[in-house]
Amino acid sequence: MQTKPNLPNPQSGFALLSSLILLFVMAAVAAAIFYSTISERSNAGTDMQKNTAYYASEAAMEKMTTDLGTLYSLNKAPNIAQIAVLTGATYRPNVINAGYQEYNISVPPNPANPTIPLAVTHNITSGSNAGLVAQIINMQLQSTAQTGAIAQAGMIGTPGEQVRMTRDIEVALIPVFQFGIFSQSDLSFFPGPAFDFNGRVFTNGNLFLADDGGLTFHSKVQAVGEVVRTVLANGVDATPRVGAVNIPTSPNGCDGAAPSCRNLLQKDESVTQFFTKPVPNPNWVNLSTSIYKGMLQNGTTGATALNLPFVKGNVSPYEIIRRPPSAEPATSLTGTSRLFNQAQIRILLDDNPANLPGGQKPTDVNLSAYSTAVNGVGTQQFMAQGIVPKSCPKVGATTPPCTDPSWFNPTGVQNVPWPLISGWLRVEYRDAAGNYNDITQEWLGLGFARQAQESAVPAQSVPNAENGIANTVHPSAILLFQYPASTAIYTPTAPQYGWYPINMYDPREGEVRDTVKAAGSCAVAGVFNLIELDMDNLRRWLNGTTGVSGQKVETASQNGYIVYFSDRRGMQLDTAAVPAATELNGEYGFEDIINIANATGTPNGVIDTGEDVNGNGRVDTYGIKTIGDGFGVPGADANPYTGAASRITCATTGRVNRVSGPRHAIKVINGSLGHVPVLAGGTGGTTIASENPVYVQGNYNANAAGFGASAAGVNEAASAVIADSVTLLSISYTDLRGLQNPTNLAARPGATSYYRLAIAGGKNINFPTATTWVAAADYGTDGGAHNFLKYIESWNGTSNYEGSLVSFFYSRQAVGVFKCCTVVYGAPNRNYSFDTNFLDPAKMPPGTPRFEDIDNLGYHQDYRPQ
């Protein structure tokens, strides 16, 4: 059989070609996929780097803003060099795979002094504080973030990405005294008579609005908490109080003949059932934003908290007036805010000189048995002492009384004297170099006494330049400790026994209930020893009329002078603290004053609502260890308020003896218009700052004609008092009248007086009073804003006040709660208004506390970075 030869298959070539083509196509696809993947990964890497650079630059914006806020917390007026430090490497955010080619804060310099930022005074332009006048410092933040090449497995290295951002900000330093009323805690209004107030109102807490006779506001009203109309802050039903609460619906809307003003009805409160089960008002946002057009706000509709820069964690606003602890640096966050460290003049007293700041100094003066030659008097002058003599020498043909029978003899031995005024005193001033210089002997050498207070004309009880009443004892004395005794007759060889300390009775502090007691009887807790500060003689010393050092006091740091006062005599260590305190804390140390379940207020040893004024979680009682000792009633050391052992005869025992407990205060006198210190050019003014209670007696920074410049062209001073508490005493007040009538209110008449100054002080905590014995509906409140200014007289006239009312804290020394109107005070006609001078920061009182607000005016990305 014949076979065919093997011939080529014509189809096989086509198959091979197809396979090759298919292989080529698959290779191409694979290559395309491969290169596509590489491209996508490269693009993804680029996008990631862009995002990294973007967020790094954005982080820089936030970090610089935060660091500026911290800096202004630590330093009220940092210079440009101090701001520039914030751009250093240690301050920059740590962002992985990114760095900064540019990290800068641009600050326009002040042409007059290029080392400091240019500050312009104008309204804040944005945010919840828009409209407030502040010192504005405009800055620009600039950041260029750069990423580097990335080399990761499987990824082609790509060039770094760059993002540049700029942010415009304004640092606003907001003086608190441009608020008509400011409160750190809950704020209440529930006036009986009509109350009309023209300043801006703000509270970091809740706002309680109730009224009987008409309540009218003329500026913006803000509360970070709730706005409540149907209940008082003590839990008492306020619905029977149906008076109008008029709030503007446009700026200055309640002014003029055709006001743009609306009554806030009780149903308009932001939340109902406030103390039981709060229910938000569904119409509140519309009311606040549309009907009131932002003139009435709470936290829901735009109000944001305002705090002093150092108020963080457990640090209270009270620290602004407290003497610093020994270990605290003056340059610390809290230290820079203390008025103690800002003051140009410091007046410090203590039982132990080692407790004075920095410890005892050779120039500190022991007031016990102190004597000196007083300028202008020409004879040796003595601090008051008591004595029980063995015999009484005759004067002429008679044998007069040689001692006051009301003196308590703590020595128990005849002919052994004891001090009626004790403790160690230090007075110092700050010079232009920032150093403090002692002037204790200089001031005491000007004198330390004034005439007695028995004058038939009340205005003559203390020096009063407005009425031509001079100090007839020590004409140039700035600090007054005593006055001549009227009943104790002393021989010329022993003049130290012819003086009384300056004591007074404050019924709000001494009486725990608003009830009349036996005639002349008072509680030792209400007897205060005073040091009087003669403002006119201080003015004369500062301008060089008296003394030698007054014109050396620096004024560059303030708009005038800050005078700081701290008297810690009688204070005790808080041994109940854990660990036990080793330093005095500047507090009264007794809080057991409410006991709402008991009609007489007998201390019960447990913490009741409203008693824990310092927030340490316990009821303090340590402070009264020696409160009755100076009056011969040591039983009061356990209970200084109620019971026979705590009460004395005020006009005798209370008047002439040493106050041995922590009840010391300063009274500001002789400060009528033209007599408060100002700068040499007539601008600026004086602020009194104290961790003790302050009493202001008579017309202050005003005169009987009212407010404004006098006929002689003397202008008002920029004035303030910042203290534990502030009480206004009228032109008719005398200490003697108060001591003679401790619970007889009618016998303590007050007369029309004028006060022009900003006041920042403490108040008491609100507490519930739903018990059978309470008759007054407002007992348990802090008295409301209309009672923030304290009184202890039965007013038969008008209290004319112009200034700013600020409550930063609860009082730690003047712990007596609000009560009216049987024994403490009879309300004056209130003519209160905001001092519009305070809208100009240049006219602010020295040491005005300032809030800090950093507003972001907008930022953008620059797509053409350098």
Side-chain angles (χ1 to χ4, degrees), residues 161-173:
E161 295 293 333
Q162 188 181 83
V163 172
R164 186 175 193 266
M165 286 187 181
T166 61
R167 170 181 286 181
D168 294 313
I169 66 170
E170 61 179 18
V171 178
L173 305 178

Side-chain angles (χ1 to χ4, degrees), residues 321-334:
I321 60 169
R322 201 197 297 263
R323 189 196 296 180
S326 59
E328 180 185 85
T331 56
S332 68
L333 173 60
T334 306

Side-chain angles (χ1 to χ4, degrees), residues 250-272:
S250 64
N252 302 314
C254 291
D255 301 341
S260 175
C261 192
R262 180 184 182 274
N263 175 21
L264 183 73
L265 303 175
Q266 291 184 345
K267 68 181 181 65
D268 293 337
E269 60 186 355
S270 67
V271 63
T272 61

Side-chain angles (χ1 to χ4, degrees), residues 109-268:
N110 187 324
N113 183 357
T115 66
I116 63 175
L118 175 64
V120 180
T121 300
H122 61 75
N123 286 14
I124 298 174
T125 57
S126 65
S128 63
N129 300 314
L132 287 173
V133 178
Q135 286 184 301
I136 305 294
I137 301 171
N138 288 296
M139 302 184 189
Q140 188 176 77
L141 316 182
Q142 298 131 358
S143 168
T144 301
Q146 173 78 49
T147 62
I150 300 174
Q152 296 180 358
M155 179 181 292
I156 297 175
T158 58
E161 295 293 333
Q162 188 181 83
V163 172
R164 186 175 193 266
M165 286 187 181
T166 61
R167 170 181 286 181
D168 294 313
I169 66 170
E170 61 179 18
V171 178
L173 305 178
I174 307 171
V176 68
F177 290 142
Q178 72 176 292
F179 287 96
I181 298 175
F182 174 90
S183 179
Q184 182 77 15
S185 57
D186 290 349
L187 179 63
S188 297
F189 293 86
F190 50 88
F195 188 74
D196 190 293
F197 198 81
N198 67 326
R200 190 161 174 164
V201 174
F202 186 98
T203 173
N204 279 328
N206 301 298
L207 178 64
F208 294 87
L209 298 172
D211 180 61
D212 288 328
L215 174 61
T216 302
F217 299 96
H218 295 264
S219 297
K220 195 170 188 177
V221 178
Q222 295 172 288
V224 176
E226 304 295 343
V227 177
V228 183
R229 283 285 282 115
T230 57
V231 66
L232 299 183
N234 60 354
V236 171
D237 180 18
T239 55
R241 304 185 182 218
V242 294
V245 177
N246 299 307
I247 297 176
T249 56
S250 64
N252 302 314
C254 291
D255 301 341
S260 175
C261 192
R262 180 184 182 274
N263 175 21
L264 183 73
L265 303 175
Q266 291 184 345
K267 68 181 181 65
D268 293 337

Side-chain angles (χ1 to χ4, degrees), residues 285-367:
V285 173
N286 179 61
L287 279 164
S288 175
T289 60
S290 297
I291 295 177
Y292 284 102
K293 297 180 178 61
M295 295 299 292
L296 174 64
Q297 292 180 321
N298 76 341
T300 303
T301 57
T304 57
L306 287 171
N307 287 298
L308 296 175
F310 65 90
V311 177
K312 298 175 182 178
N314 294 326
V315 181
S316 160
Y318 194 81
E319 299 304 318
I320 197 172
I321 60 169
R322 201 197 297 263
R323 189 196 296 180
S326 59
E328 180 185 85
T331 56
S332 68
L333 173 60
T334 306
T336 56
S337 296
R338 292 190 193 274
L339 290 165
F340 171 90
N341 288 320
Q342 298 176 31
Q344 294 104 326
I345 298 173
R346 301 197 292 215
I347 304 163
L348 310 170
L349 294 103
D350 213 298
D351 291 322
N352 184 347
N355 291 336
L356 292 170
Q360 184 175 3
K361 297 181 180 180
T363 50
D364 296 337
V365 170
N366 184 358
L367 296 177

Side-chain angles (χ1 to χ4, degrees), residues 321-475:
I321 60 169
R322 201 197 297 263
R323 189 196 296 180
S326 59
E328 180 185 85
T331 56
S332 68
L333 173 60
T334 306
T336 56
S337 296
R338 292 190 193 274
L339 290 165
F340 171 90
N341 288 320
Q342 298 176 31
Q344 294 104 326
I345 298 173
R346 301 197 292 215
I347 304 163
L348 310 170
L349 294 103
D350 213 298
D351 291 322
N352 184 347
N355 291 336
L356 292 170
Q360 184 175 3
K361 297 181 180 180
T363 50
D364 296 337
V365 170
N366 184 358
L367 296 177
S368 301
Y370 175 78
S371 65
T372 189
V374 171
N375 293 337
V377 176
T379 59
Q380 196 79 354
Q381 300 292 301
F382 296 84
M383 283 288 177
Q385 294 187 53
I387 194 170
V388 178
K390 289 182 179 179
S391 61
C392 185
K394 289 185 178 181
V395 177
T398 63
T399 302
C402 294
T403 185
D404 191 304
S406 296
W407 276 342
F408 166 68
N409 180 9
T411 70
V413 181
Q414 290 180 318
N415 274 8
V416 176
W418 65 91
L420 298 178
I421 298 168
S422 62
W424 290 76
L425 172 69
R426 177 188 300 168
V427 184
E428 55 191 5
Y429 78 90
R430 188 170 67 203
D431 60 27
N435 302 311
Y436 282 94
N437 304 271
D438 187 86
I439 48 170
T440 312
Q441 291 283 6
E442 180 177 341
W443 275 29
L444 290 175
L446 295 173
F448 43 85
R450 48 104 165 147
Q451 60 265 36
Q453 50 188 339
E454 282 80 0
S455 171
V457 181
Q460 295 182 9
S461 296
V462 296
N464 187 339
E466 178 184 355
N467 293 332
I469 308 302
N471 183 336
T472 58
V473 180
H474 295 159

